[in-house]
């Protein structure tokens, strides 16, 4: 989205002071809206950045109510805070886990702000639901290699625009399938995300010529606009 956005979108996804300071120096405080996402409303990094932004707004005598959106579970700390401080609040359905929440307000709000068509986003999701065979094939393939001792799962897109996708894949896999523990033998798969054009000349050599304990999923993008 950030490469095609009609408005500038910044993601402060780390409490690294260099990152936070760099973003805050680049924005216009009078025309910027801040959206904070936490299902529990207690995520330490998110709350820390929220407090920084709140103090900066107070320092500039700008009203937070018109500039801050809190996104989280109904009834959580963010929901309570929004009521107490008259901030905008957008709920996430409680039954949807945070890592699967892109089709809730978590993804919808920044998408709409950036000028992206939410209808296209949902049509892509529906298309994926109607083409389940690909997911079945990948799952079968990974399980086959898992049974043959290949316990490292490598995701390798051939597009620099999908670098964040590999990070999401690694988080998703690591927090779910990576923790498989059968009879206290800890048999989960280890996920690794790499980018084809770059890592083809480094990590790919390890895959091809190193120990045969890895599987690779290659992703190619034929038409980025679609």
């Amino acid at each position: 989205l950030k490469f095609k956005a009609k408005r500038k979108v910044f993601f402060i996804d780390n409490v690294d002071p260099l990152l936070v300071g760099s973003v805050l120096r680049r924005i216009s405080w009078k025309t910027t809206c801040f959206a904070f996402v936490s299902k529990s409303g207690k995520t330490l990094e998110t709350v820390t950045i929220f407090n920084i932004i709140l103090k900066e707004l107070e320092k500039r005598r700008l009203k937070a109510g018109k500039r801050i959106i809190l996104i989280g579970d109904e009834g959580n700390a963010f929901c309570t805070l929004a009521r107490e401080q008259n901030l905008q609040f957008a709920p996430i359905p409680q039954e949807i886990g945070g890592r699967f929440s892109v089709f809730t307000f978590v993804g919808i709000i920044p998408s709409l702000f950036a000028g992206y068509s939410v209808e296209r986003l949902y049509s892509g999701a529906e298309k994926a639901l109607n083409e389940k065979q690909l997911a079945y094939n990948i799952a079968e393939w990974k399980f086959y290699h898992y049974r043959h001792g290949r316990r490292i799962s490598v995701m390798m897109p051939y597009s620099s625009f999908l670098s964040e996708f590999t990070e999401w894949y690694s988080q998703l896999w690591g927090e779910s399938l990576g923790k498989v523990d059968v009879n206290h033998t800890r048999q989960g798969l280890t996920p690794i995300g790499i980018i084809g054009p770059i890592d083809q000349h480094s990590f790919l050599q390890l895959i091809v010529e190193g120990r045969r304990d890895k599987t690779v999923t290659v992703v190619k993008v034929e038409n980025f606009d679609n």
Side-chain angles (χ1 to χ4, degrees):
L1 293 181
K2 61 185 177 182
F3 296 103
K4 303 175 68 175
K6 295 179 180 179
R7 298 183 180 92
K8 291 183 179 180
V9 181
F10 299 94
F11 293 94
I12 305 179
D13 53 4
N14 194 332
V15 291
D16 173 14
L18 293 177
L19 171 66
V20 177
S22 172
V23 172
L24 298 189
R25 284 192 296 271
R26 294 164 65 187
I27 65 173
S28 168
W29 285 89
K30 291 185 177 180
T31 58
T32 297
C33 178
F34 302 91
F36 297 91
V37 183
S38 172
K39 274 185 68 67
S40 67
K42 298 179 180 179
T43 307
L44 180 60
E45 295 85 356
T46 308
V47 173
T48 299
I49 296 173
F50 169 79
N51 287 326
I52 292 173
I53 298 298
L54 205 59
K55 288 181 180 179
E56 291 294 329
L57 289 172
E58 291 173 354
K59 186 190 304 183
R60 292 167 173 79
R61 297 182 180 180
L62 297 172
K63 293 183 178 181
K66 294 183 178 180
R67 294 176 172 83
I68 289 181
I69 302 173
L70 301 179
I71 306 172
D73 278 352
E74 193 79 50
N76 76 358
F78 268 7
C79 183
T80 303
L81 187 63
R83 284 197 298 265
E84 292 176 349
Q85 300 197 23
N86 196 28
L87 305 175
Q88 300 176 78
F89 177 77
I92 303 172
Q94 292 186 352
E95 67 273 15
I96 298 179
R99 73 196 75 153
F100 301 109
S101 61
V102 68
F103 296 109
T104 70
F105 282 123
V106 172
I108 290 175
I109 287 177
S111 297
L112 285 173
F113 177 81
Y116 190 79
S117 169
V118 174
E119 289 78 10
R120 288 185 64 189
L121 184 68
Y122 276 102
S123 67
E126 290 176 351
K127 183 178 179 181
L129 287 174
N130 294 328
E131 297 179 359
K132 297 175 181 172
Q133 190 59 47
L134 176 61
Y136 292 147
N137 291 344
I138 293 175
E140 183 180 25
W141 175 70
K142 287 185 176 294
F143 185 66
Y144 168 83
H145 286 286
Y146 172 83
R147 293 288 297 272
H148 287 76
R150 301 176 187 104
R151 304 294 172 85
I152 299 176
S153 176
V154 181
M155 174 63 69
M156 187 171 71
Y158 267 80
S159 171
S160 296
F161 293 98
L162 291 176
S163 59
E164 284 84 1
F165 172 76
T166 66
E167 296 174 7
W168 172 81
Y169 170 82
S170 297
Q171 181 208 6
L172 178 67
W173 198 287
E175 289 188 335
S176 52
L177 296 175
K179 298 186 291 187
V180 175
D181 190 7
V182 180
N183 298 325
H184 305 289
T185 56
R186 297 181 181 272
Q187 297 183 26
L189 284 167
T190 299
I192 294 177
I194 62 178
I195 298 296
I198 301 170
D199 294 302
Q200 183 168 302
H201 303 287
S202 55
F203 198 91
L204 187 59
Q205 296 183 44
L206 169 64
I207 296 173
V208 175
E209 301 178 20
R211 188 173 179 179
R212 310 292 279 184
D213 57 354
K214 307 167 191 68
T215 63
V216 184
T217 302
V218 178
V219 180
K220 292 187 178 181
V221 177
E222 294 180 359
N223 189 335
F224 189 73
D225 287 334
N226 292 330

